[in-house]
Amino acid sequence: MQNLTPIPELFVSSESAEKLKNEAADLPSWDLSARQVCDLELLMNGGFAPLKGFLGEADYDSVVENMRLSDGTLWPMPITLDINDSFASTVEPGQDIALRDSEGVILAILSITDKWVADKSREAEKVFGADDIAHPAVNYLHHKAGKVYLGGPVVGIQAPVHYDFRRRRNTPNELRAYFRKMGWRKVVAFQTRNPLHRAHQELTFRAAKETQANLLIHPVVGMTKPGDIDHFTRVRCYEAVLDKYPQSTTSMSLLNLAMRMAGPREAVWHGLIRKNHGCTHFIVGRDHAGPGKNSAGEDFYGPYDAQHLFKKHEAEINVEMVDFKHMVYVLEKAQYEPIDEVEKGMTVLNISGTELRRRLSEGLEIPDWFSFPAVVKELRRTRPARHKQGFTVFFTGLSGSGKSTIANALMVKLMEMGGRPVTLLDGDVVRKNLSSELGFSKEHRDLNIRRIGFVASEITKNGGIAICAPIAPYTATRRAVREDIEAFGSMVEVHVSTSLEECERRDRKGLYKLARAGKIKEFTGISDPYEEPVKAELVIDTEYAEVDNCAHQVILKLEQMGLIAG
Ligand code: PPS
C-alpha cells in the first residue's frame, strides 16, 4: 500500500542548524569521501529510512550476515563510515564529530557509538558474493575505504549542495508531496545508470501501462559503475527522451545514490529506497546492478538472481516488482516486442552496449530504430569518434635510448597533420619546470611520473595530444598513469628498447661515464632499476631504424588504433 505521509528526516530546524554549526566548529571533523557524501544525503533526507545514522557494529554484523538490522528489519547494504587510522586514533565512542564535505562545509554531526576494525573479506564475501577485486565495490572496500568504521546517529545540519540540474533533484518527501498533489496512487520506478534508448522507452512505457501506474524515471547520478557515461551527459539524454512519454503520467527525478553494483542485494536496497520515495512498483531487469565479470571471467551473479531475491522479500519491501522484459526490435513489424513474444521466423535486431560504444568511437551510424536522434547527438558530443578524441603517447626507455629525439619528430609530424594541439612533456624539460625540486630516488621518480601523468590526462581530457618522454622505470607507476589517462582517452605506451650497451656506447650526454665512475648515483640501468614494459602498445629499437622511421612507426600505430584518420 502506498503511504504518502512525510517520511522522517534527520535534519534539525534551520535555527538549531545555525546554532549547531557554530558549536560543531570546535569538534574533531571528518572530511567525507564522495561516496560518504552520497550516503549521508540519503540518510538525512529519509532515502535510507529507517536508518538513523551510520551503522553501529551490531547492526553492521547483522546486515552483513542476514541482510537485516539487529532488530530484524530488512536492510541489505552496510552503510558505514570508514575512516583512516590516523583519524581513528583521535576519536572514541561517546564523542561527537563534524562531518564535512570536500569544501569543508559542515553537513552533519555524528555521535559515535561504535568504533571497530571491519573484517573486509567477510563483508566482501557476504555482501558482494566474493572477495574479488574485479568487483568494483570490493575493490573500493580494499583499496579506497579506511580500515576503521564509525557508527552512530546523525544529526543533519544541511544537505550537500548540488549546482547541477537542481530542478530535477527531489528528496523523498518532495516526491511524496508531488505524487500526493498529482493524485498518483500507483507509481512504477525505473532505476537506470545508462542513457535511455528506444528499447528502454518502450519497456518503461509498457511497464506503466501493464500496472496501470504512473512512471517515475529515477536515474542514479551519485556514483555508478566506473567507466559509465557521466551523469551530465546522461541527464541531457534523459531530458531529450522525456517528451516521448505522456507528460501527465511520467516524471523524472535524479537520485544521488552511490551504487555498489551488488546485484541481488542491491535490487532489494533499490526497492526500499523507492518505497521511501513514495513508489509502489519497481522495475527489476536481467542482471540488475550487475558488476560485470569476476577475475575468472565469469558473471558474479546469475542473470535473474536479483529478481528472485526481490520477489522473496517483496512483501517486506512493500513494493511490487515488475520484471523487466528484454525488448528487441522486430524488423518485419518495425516495432519493439518482448523477446519471449516474438513470432518464429521474424528478424530480431539488437545493439549491445559494447557494440554501441564501438559505433560511437568509430564514428559509425547508429540507426534510428535503436535510439533517438537527440540522444545520439548528446552521446556523440561526449564521446566523439576516436580520431577526434585526445590521447597520450607515452615513451619509456633508458636515458639516451632516443625517446626525446623520436618524440620531437613525432610532435612535428602530428603538427603537420593538424587538427589537435600537441604538447611535448620531455623528461629533461619536465625536470626543469614541473619537477625542478625532485631527485632520482624511487619516491621522487614516482612523483615526477605522476605529475607528468596528471598533465597528460588533463590534455587528453581536453581533446589534445600529449607526448611524454620520461624514463619512467617502474611498471606500477606507468600503470597508475595509464589509469589516469584512460579515464579520458587512449594511452599509447611506446617502449624505446635500445639496449643498455648501445645507450652507454652512444653516451650522448656523458652521463653513463659519470655513473660508472660513481659520480652520479641512482643512475637508471647502472645503479638503479629499469622494469621493462610487458604490454606496451609498441616497441621500437633505435639500433636498427632511423629517427624518421621510428616516428613513422608510431604514426602507423596511431592510425591502426583509429586515433588519427588514415
Ligand atoms: S624518471 O626516472 O622518469 O623520473 O627520469 P626522467 O625525469 O626521465 O629524467 C631523466 C633525465 O635525467 C637525467 N638524469 C638521470 N637519469 C636517470 N638516473 C639518474 N640518476 C639521472 N640523473 C640525471 C638524464 O639526462 C635523463 O634524461 P634522458 O633524456 O632520459 O637521457
Side-chain angles (χ1 to χ4, degrees):
M1 244 326 266
Q2 191 192 29
N3 175 0
L4 292 182
T5 53
I7 197 162
E9 297 185 351
L10 306 182
F11 292 109
V12 288
S13 70
S14 50
E15 239 170 50
S16 312
E18 243 353 274
K19 220 172 116 230
L20 274 181
K21 215 184 223 155
N22 290 331
E23 290 167 16
D26 296 330
L27 295 176
S29 61
W30 173 249
D31 295 336
L32 298 158
S33 66
R35 187 165 103 173
Q36 291 169 345
V37 172
C38 291
D39 286 354
L40 180 64
E41 177 170 348
L42 284 156
L43 277 172
M44 293 194 294
N45 70 18
F48 286 170
L51 303 194
K52 300 260 185 303
F54 289 98
L55 295 187
E57 191 171 1
D59 279 332
Y60 165 79
D61 281 338
S62 176
V63 166
V64 169
E65 293 291 334
N66 314 312
M67 267 186 30
R68 290 179 184 281
L69 300 172
S70 44
D71 68 4
T73 309
L74 182 71
W75 188 266
M77 199 57 67
I79 306 298
T80 47
L81 187 76
D82 60 279
I83 56 167
N84 56 32
D85 295 353
S86 59
F87 185 66
S89 65
T90 66
V91 291
E92 289 306 330
Q95 248 178 306
D96 284 355
I97 61 168
L99 302 180
R100 296 175 189 259
D101 70 7
S102 58
E103 285 170 30
V105 176
I106 301 177
L107 302 179
I109 292 175
L110 170 76
S111 302
I112 307 172
T113 54
D114 297 67
K115 172 178 143 183
W116 74 103
V117 175
D119 177 349
K120 291 188 175 177
S121 293
R122 177 185 67 146
E123 183 176 333
E125 287 284 351
K126 298 274 176 173
V127 179
F128 305 110
D131 192 9
D132 179 343
I133 57 161
H135 192 299
V138 177
N139 186 41
Y140 186 97
L141 194 59
H142 286 301
H143 295 137
K144 296 212 173 123
K147 268 203 209 113
V148 180
Y149 288 3
L150 296 181
V154 158
V155 173
I157 293 178
Q158 74 168 76
V161 177
H162 299 288
Y163 297 107
D164 57 335
F165 307 113
R166 292 181 107 146
R167 70 192 181 95
R168 295 277 184 206
R169 295 177 185 265
N170 307 98
T171 65
N173 280 329
E174 284 166 349
L175 277 187
R176 285 174 172 230
Y178 177 75
F179 299 154
R180 243 189 346 259
K181 180 172 167 188
M182 301 301 285
W184 288 12
R185 306 302 308 273
K186 278 177 159 188
V187 181
V188 55
F190 180 61
Q191 134 89 34
T192 181
R193 41 170 266 269
N194 287 309
L196 297 184
H197 301 295
R198 284 189 198 270
H200 304 103
Q201 197 269 342
E202 197 67 40
L203 94 88
T204 48
F205 187 63
R206 272 175 187 248
K209 222 161 77 176
E210 279 167 23
T211 51
Q212 294 183 49
N214 300 283
L215 177 64
L216 175 70
I217 301 173
H218 209 195
V220 171
V221 294
M223 290 168 76
T224 61
K225 197 172 153 193
D228 279 351
I229 292 177
D230 66 274
H231 81 268
F232 299 104
T233 306
R234 284 191 288 114
V235 176
R236 291 195 299 268
C237 289
Y238 302 137
E239 288 187 328
V241 180
L242 265 187
D243 66 358
K244 310 285 181 274
Y245 292 95
Q247 219 186 9
S248 56
T249 58
T250 302
S251 188
M252 199 253 286
S253 176
L254 308 179
L255 180 66
N256 199 42
L257 174 72
M259 289 181 72
R260 310 311 207 241
M261 310 311 298
R265 278 202 187 218
E266 181 118 359
V268 172
W269 188 39
H270 287 176
L272 291 168
I273 294 168
R274 270 40 182 237
K275 179 188 62 186
N276 290 335
H277 284 80
C279 303
T280 53
H281 294 68
F282 183 59
I283 301 173
V284 182
R286 191 185 177 279
D287 196 27
H288 187 96
K293 307 266 183 219
N294 65 17
S295 316
E298 293 148 4
D299 290 331
F300 276 94
Y301 316 116
Y304 299 103
D305 289 2
Q307 290 186 353
H308 295 148
L309 195 70
F310 197 107
K311 202 77 205 156
K312 189 169 153 202
H313 297 286
E314 197 175 41
E316 260 181 297
I317 301 171
N318 198 11
V319 163
E320 220 175 283
M321 182 177 88
V322 181
D323 57 2
F324 178 111
K325 315 265 185 314
H326 182 56
M327 305 294 292
V328 288
Y329 187 74
V330 184
L331 186 62
E332 288 79 359
K333 295 191 176 171
Q335 68 178 27
Y336 276 87
E337 285 184 358
I339 195 156
D340 54 345
E341 288 175 23
V342 177
E343 285 169 43
K344 250 192 163 165
M346 294 279 157
T347 319
V348 159
L349 301 180
N350 198 11
I351 292 183
S352 68
T354 316
E355 173 63 6
L356 175 64
R357 278 192 290 279
R358 186 185 76 84
R359 281 173 180 265
L360 283 171
S361 71
E362 292 179 19
L364 298 173
E365 196 221 326
I366 293 165
D368 272 359
W369 62 260
F370 175 74
S371 195
F372 304 97
V375 171
V376 174
K377 196 169 142 206
E378 277 304 331
L379 292 178
R380 285 203 199 282
R381 275 176 56 193
T382 308
R383 299 225 163 155
R386 205 174 284 144
H387 69 272
K388 291 185 182 153
Q389 286 173 13
F391 65 87
T392 294
V393 180
F394 192 97
F395 289 95
T396 167
L398 295 171
S399 170
S401 57
K403 303 180 300 288
S404 307
T405 321
I406 304 169
N408 268 296
L410 175 68
M411 176 173 72
V412 173
K413 282 180 188 290
L414 289 170
M415 285 168 82
E416 183 188 351
M417 287 178 187
R420 282 170 285 193
V422 189
T423 308
L424 176 59
L425 298 163
D426 188 33
D428 270 343
V429 178
V430 168
R431 285 214 171 248
K432 279 200 192 83
N433 300 288
L434 258 189
S435 294
S436 55
E437 85 287 18
L438 300 182
F440 289 89
S441 63
K442 170 154 195 324
E443 194 193 352
H444 276 193
R445 286 180 195 263
D446 283 352
L447 200 52
N448 181 39
I449 300 305
R450 293 304 297 263
R451 285 180 189 171
I452 294 175
F454 172 73
V455 177
S457 72
E458 288 293 310
I459 292 170
T460 303
K461 177 168 84 185
N462 291 305
I465 300 174
I467 305 176
C468 314
I471 297 177
Y474 297 106
T475 309
T477 325
R478 291 192 301 258
R479 193 187 308 137
V481 165
R482 183 182 282 276
E483 273 173 27
D484 289 348
I485 292 166
E486 287 185 342
F488 305 111
S490 303
M491 160 151 154
V492 186
E493 193 172 335
V494 182
H495 178 202
V496 183
S497 68
T498 316
S499 66
L500 179 65
E501 296 69 39
E502 178 62 16
C503 294
E504 197 166 357
R505 194 187 61 72
R506 293 179 193 164
D507 203 6
R508 290 176 49 187
K509 299 182 191 164
L511 295 176
Y512 281 94
K513 211 158 144 219
L514 294 173
R516 285 286 180 204
K519 292 189 181 145
I520 303 182
K521 305 270 178 268
E522 299 175 311
F523 196 84
T524 309
I526 307 293
S527 44
D528 224 43
Y530 179 78
E531 298 169 3
E532 298 220 337
V534 275
K535 273 203 211 143
E537 274 76 8
L538 186 64
V539 181
I540 295 181
D541 190 337
T542 60
E543 281 161 71
Y544 304 102
E546 295 295 317
V547 175
D548 191 64
N549 177 265
C550 294
H552 193 65
Q553 287 182 47
V554 183
I555 294 281
L556 290 175
K557 187 76 205 174
L558 296 176
E559 241 175 53
Q560 186 207 33
M561 292 174 73
L563 292 167
I564 50 180

